[in-house]
């Protein structure tokens, strides 16, 4: 039987190749795709508002007669159309318009328009409203429906998409859409069928509950939300199943490397570290690839945990790759591991994008022969021409730039290609629980929820940049008493070049004002070796003050640094600020973070800085960040496309996540269902490897 998945959009009236091409850019190929292109909001255009009762900011439908239509010169040429009803005047302003439009809107024409009221030079104005000339009578209140608003792409306007969706809907009665939610679920939540739900959201009938629809709470919407979240969950579980369809090397604990390593550490592991090390030890011992996420706030001590995992794998005869997202971070790991492992007679190898020529050849051949037991580096580790002899474990630090696709790709990097490596992913970006459940459903998680003893809370203060002098004095004081400081410049310039220039200017200024201090500057444009050199000098205490761009954001660890100045903190996300602040408070001294903002701060800006001053807890901060900025920003995974929902809204619908997580495993049994739901909701956005 034909179904809507088999009918191409070109079956619709008015859809030729050109329009079909534009629709394809929205991922719409078939009528089913079109029906799952859902309105993201509604507008209530069911009532006319008298012009005289409009206020700035109102979104309204008005109707009246055109009194004049004039070209207005000014900073930008525009067409200004004045409309009158019996309560007042309103201007419509068009910056882009055709001659035909100008003619159509001539004096005396009746026009109905829809827009948002803005203050303009002619009083209240609508900019580029949707409008209709000589409109039909308004529907009576019991006939009126809400107007769905769809996500658009270039070259397709709202009315066009609306009419296509309406056409597609007429097919619904003849070719129903497959129901993929189990009966039990439909009954439990008293959900409407998929067909009814789609009809409701695309064309709410007269008398449908306006408020519920506007708020996304209508059962038809909630049903679709649940199905969408389920589809995402299933796609993650499928990634996991695909990775775990391979075997991995069972890396049983053996020998005394780990004990010797622990003996030489100047501290004992915390309880939380021990727990996580146990989780990992268990996983690595299995012939099934580990997929584990270790979450631990900044400074919670993830690196030693990673080292212990690496040693277990090495002792069991496997190779280990440790990847960090930036050169600086990777180098720091390299230096750390080199020092830690030297007494054990092990030397890590180094590979980054900047390793070239003979050095690169040498590392590659050591990796391929298995001589290199541990390789540390950046993404360069996983390029196609890089091969391992017996890769047993991959450790990825600061995971937030590492999505499911990469995890899936790693599967094939294992020993001789037959075994998938174990994957250990570490992040200091505390992820709110609900978000983690849906974004990392393919991973098991362990939490390091305890900081090493003796850490002092970081005192955080917000100061306007008009008090820069005082801040400079504070840096002088801290450094003169033997401690070190960071000064972070956070220009959000698009260009790295400008960022670096700004940091350079700041460094020059500070060198002039603080001639007695030795000041270094790190930014993204330095060579890796220059950056590493500066970091070493800072670490060794040769530099008092390190001026930096946000490149020092993750992972950098210098316990003697106890003061950090962050310029323009209002421009950064809370989680990122928390990360930056985590560069201090790593030793035994009391530490300070000065947020030097540029006034005036918005209400929201004030509230955000206050959150930071009130809390040291990355999870609390992440929850707030999620509220303020939404999940895409918090996860930094927009590029993975995973959190781009069609109808679900992470904040509004987080109540579903627990239920979805519980019910998903049962749905995994039916392959056809899983594939159909993923295809329907995620379409082309996810590609799986062959099993
Ligand atoms: P992060 O979790 O942010 O990656 P690191 O692994 O860099 O943290 O550790 C931060 C600092 O804490 C390092 O100087 C590390 O040596 C130290 N550290 C780690 N574990 C402990 C512990 N159990 N006791 C004391 N210090 C520790
Ligand atoms: Mg770290």
């Amino acid at each position: 039987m034909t179904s809507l998945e088999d009918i191409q959009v070109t079956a619709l009236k008015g859809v030729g190749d050109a329009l079909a091409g534009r629709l394809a850019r929205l991922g719409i190929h078939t009528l089913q795709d079109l029906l799952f292109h859902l309105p993201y909001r509604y507008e209530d255009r069911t009532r006319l508002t008298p012009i005289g009762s409009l206020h700035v900011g109102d979104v309204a439908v008005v109707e009246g007669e055109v009194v004049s239509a004039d070209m207005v010169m000014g900073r930008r040429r525009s067409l200004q159309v004045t409309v009158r009803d019996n309560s007042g005047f309103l201007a419509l302003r068009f910056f882009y318009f055709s001659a035909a439009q100008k003619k159509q809107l001539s004096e005396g024409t009746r026009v109905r328009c829809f827009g948002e009221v803005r203050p303009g030079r002619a009083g209240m104005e609508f900019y580029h409203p949707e409008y209709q000339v000589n409109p039909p009578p308004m529907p009576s209140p019991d006939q009126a429906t809400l107007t769905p608003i769809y996500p658009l792409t270039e070259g397709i306007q709202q009315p066009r998409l609306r009419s296509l969706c309406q056409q597609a809907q007429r097919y619904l009665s003849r070719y129903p859409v497959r129901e993929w939610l189990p009966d039990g679920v439909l009954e439990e939540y008293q959900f409407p069928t998929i067909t009814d739900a789609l009809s409701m959201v695309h064309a709410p009938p007269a008398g449908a509950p306006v408020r519920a629809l506007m708020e996304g709470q209508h059962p038809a919407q909630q049903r679709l939300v649940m199905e969408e979240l389920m589809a995402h969950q299933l796609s993650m579980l499928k990634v996991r199943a695909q990775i775990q369809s391979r075997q991995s090397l069972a890396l049983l604990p053996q020998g005394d490397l780990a004990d010797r390593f622990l003996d030489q550490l100047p501290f004992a592991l915390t309880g939380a570290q021990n727990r996580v090390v146990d989780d990992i030890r268990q996983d690595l011992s299995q012939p099934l690839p580990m997929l584990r996420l270790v979450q631990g706030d900044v400074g919670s001590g993830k690196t030693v945990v990673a080292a212990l995992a690496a040693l277990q794998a090495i002792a069991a005869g496997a190779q280990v790759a440790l990847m960090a997202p930036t050169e600086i971070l990777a180098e720091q790991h390299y230096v750390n591991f080199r020092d830690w492992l030297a007494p054990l007679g092990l030397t890590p190898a180094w590979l980054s994008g900047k390793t070239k020529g003979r050095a690169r050849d040498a590392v590659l051949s050591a990796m391929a022969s298995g001589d290199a037991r541990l390789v540390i580096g950046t993404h360069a580790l996983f390029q196609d021409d890089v091969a391992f002899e017996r890769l047993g474990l991959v450790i990825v630090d600061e995971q937030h730039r590492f999505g499911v696709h990469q995890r899936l790709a790693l599967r094939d990097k294992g020993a001789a290609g037959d075994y998938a490596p174990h994957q250990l992913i570490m992040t200091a970006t505390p992820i709110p629980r609900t978000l983690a459940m849906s974004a990392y459903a393919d991973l098991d998680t362990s939490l390091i929820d305890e900081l090493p003893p003796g850490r002092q809370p970081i005192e955080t203060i917000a100061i306007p940049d008009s008090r820069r002098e005082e801040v400079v004095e504070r840096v002088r004081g801290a450094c003169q008493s033997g401690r070190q400081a960071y000064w972070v410049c956070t220009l959000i310039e698009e260009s790295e070049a400008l960022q670096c220039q700004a940091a350079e200017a700041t460094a020059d200024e500070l060198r002039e004002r603080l001639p007695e201090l030795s000041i270094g500057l790190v930014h993204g444009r330095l060579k890796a070796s220059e950056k590493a050199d500066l970091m070493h000098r800072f670490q060794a205490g040769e530099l008092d003050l390190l001026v930096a761009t946000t490149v020092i954001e993750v992972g950098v660890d210098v316990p003697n640094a106890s003061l950090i100045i962050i310029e323009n903190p209002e421009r950064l996300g809370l989680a990122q600020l928390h990360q930056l602040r985590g560069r201090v408070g790593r030793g035994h001294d009391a530490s300070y973070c000065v947020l030097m903002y540029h006034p005036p701060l918005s209400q929201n800006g004030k509230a955000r800085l206050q959150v930071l001053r009130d809390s040291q807890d990355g999870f609390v901060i992440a929850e707030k960040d999620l509220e303020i900025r939404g999940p895409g920003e918090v996860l930094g995974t927009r590029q993975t496309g995973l959190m781009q929902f069609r109808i679900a809204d992470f904040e509004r619908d987080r109540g579903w996540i627990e239920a979805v997580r519980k019910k998903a495993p049962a749905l995994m049994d039916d392959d056809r269902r899983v594939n159909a739901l993923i295809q329907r909701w995620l379409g082309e956005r996810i590609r799986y490897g062959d099993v």
Side-chain angles (χ1 to χ4, degrees), residues 299 301-303 329 332-333 397-398 426 428 554-556 583 586:
K302 291 181 290 297
T303 320
L329 206 50
Q332 177 179 284
H333 281 319
D397 196 16
E398 296 310 336
M426 302 192 296
V554 279
V556 172
R583 297 312 105 220
R586 300 183 147 242

Side-chain angles (χ1 to χ4, degrees), residues 550-580:
T550 49
V551 294
I552 59 149
E553 177 187 340
V554 279
V556 172
D557 181 42
V558 179
N560 189 47
S562 63
L563 171 63
I564 185 164
I565 316 296
I566 305 176
E567 285 197 75
N568 305 116
E570 67 277 13
R571 293 172 171 169
L572 300 182
L574 286 182
Q576 197 181 3
L577 286 168
H578 178 65
Q579 289 290 327
L580 283 169

Side-chain angles (χ1 to χ4, degrees), residues 37-312:
H37 189 70
L38 298 168
Y40 64 97
R41 63 185 178 89
Y42 295 92
E43 280 169 358
D44 185 353
R45 304 185 183 179
T46 56
R47 279 172 302 113
L48 284 182
T49 305
I51 291 176
S53 62
L54 290 177
H55 298 282
V56 168
D58 287 353
V59 175
V61 188
V62 304
E63 191 171 318
E65 185 177 304
V66 174
V67 240
S68 64
D70 303 305
M71 294 269 291
V72 183
M73 309 312 282
R75 239 173 348 126
R76 279 172 80 193
R77 196 181 71 139
S78 62
L79 174 65
Q80 177 180 318
V81 179
T82 305
V83 176
R84 177 183 64 193
D85 70 4
N86 50 24
S87 68
F89 293 88
L90 173 75
L92 318 181
R93 188 171 304 282
F94 299 89
F95 293 101
Y96 307 97
F97 55 93
S98 61
Q101 245 176 328
K102 181 164 186 286
K103 209 163 136 215
Q104 190 188 33
L105 291 166
S106 59
E107 201 184 319
T109 310
R110 277 207 78 69
V111 57
R112 181 181 299 157
C113 42
F114 177 81
E116 181 181 339
V117 184
R118 303 223 218 160
R121 72 174 124 164
M124 286 193 295
E125 301 191 350
F126 276 0
Y127 286 7
H128 285 268
E130 274 191 44
Y131 69 91
Q132 205 177 3
V133 295
N134 303 321
M138 289 289 281
S140 62
D142 60 325
Q143 296 270 298
T145 67
L146 293 176
T147 305
I149 307 294
Y150 294 95
L152 297 176
T153 189
E154 212 180 294
I156 304 183
Q157 303 297 318
Q158 213 47 258
R160 173 54 88 53
L161 208 47
R162 226 176 275 142
S163 90
L164 290 177
C165 286
Q166 270 156 23
Q167 274 195 63
Q169 246 200 288
R170 289 200 281 276
Y171 282 76
L172 262 182
S173 48
R174 270 181 293 152
Y175 307 100
V177 171
R178 274 296 288 268
E179 179 64 74
W180 288 112
L181 287 185
D183 292 343
V185 171
L186 293 179
E187 269 158 41
E188 181 176 351
Y189 299 109
Q190 306 204 330
F191 279 152
T193 64
I194 184 69
T195 305
D196 288 350
L198 288 171
S199 303
M200 172 62 75
V201 298
H202 283 292
V210 171
R211 207 187 164 83
L213 282 164
M214 297 278 246
E215 288 172 358
Q217 301 292 1
H218 191 281
Q221 292 164 309
Q222 287 292 302
R223 186 230 130 94
L224 293 167
V225 163
M226 144 66 131
E227 188 178 314
E228 176 167 42
L229 293 172
M230 181 62 79
H232 279 257
Q233 187 80 6
L234 293 174
S235 81
M236 308 291 285
L237 293 183
K238 187 170 165 179
V239 168
R240 183 182 174 90
Q242 291 204 331
I243 294 174
Q244 296 199 327
S245 68
R246 290 278 177 81
Q247 292 229 319
S248 63
L249 301 167
L251 306 170
L252 297 167
Q254 50 195 279
D256 62 353
L257 275 182
D259 289 335
R260 281 162 59 207
F261 170 70
L262 286 172
D263 284 346
Q264 59 154 31
L265 280 183
F267 48 77
L269 297 191
T270 62
Q273 283 170 318
N274 272 318
R275 267 200 316 279
V276 176
V277 168
D278 284 345
D279 290 344
I280 297 170
R281 185 182 303 126
Q282 288 290 336
D283 289 351
L284 288 177
S285 307
Q286 309 301 318
L288 189 70
M290 166 170 78
L291 284 166
R292 186 166 290 280
L293 175 72
V294 172
Q295 286 191 68
D297 209 343
V298 280
S300 62
K302 291 181 290 297
T303 320
V304 277
V305 170
L308 284 162
L311 289 172
Q312 179 172 339

Side-chain angles (χ1 to χ4, degrees), residues 319 349 351 360-373 375 385-391 416:
Q319 287 173 290
L351 181 69
R360 181 176 155 86
D361 294 342
V363 188
L364 289 185
S365 78
M367 288 163 76
S369 71
D371 286 348
R373 313 306 305 159
V375 193
D385 60 336
V386 175
F388 294 84
E389 192 249 343
R390 197 177 162 75
L391 181 62

Side-chain angles (χ1 to χ4, degrees), residues 460-462 574 577 581 595 601 603-616 621 624 628:
T460 303
I461 31 189
L574 286 182
L577 286 168
R581 176 171 65 176
L595 303 170
L601 277 183
Q603 277 304 351
N604 190 311
K606 271 184 207 148
R608 281 156 38 88
L609 296 190
Q610 189 62 37
V611 170
L612 240 93
R613 293 164 59 191
D614 291 347
S615 178
Q616 304 269 330
I621 293 171
K624 295 279 181 194
I628 298 174

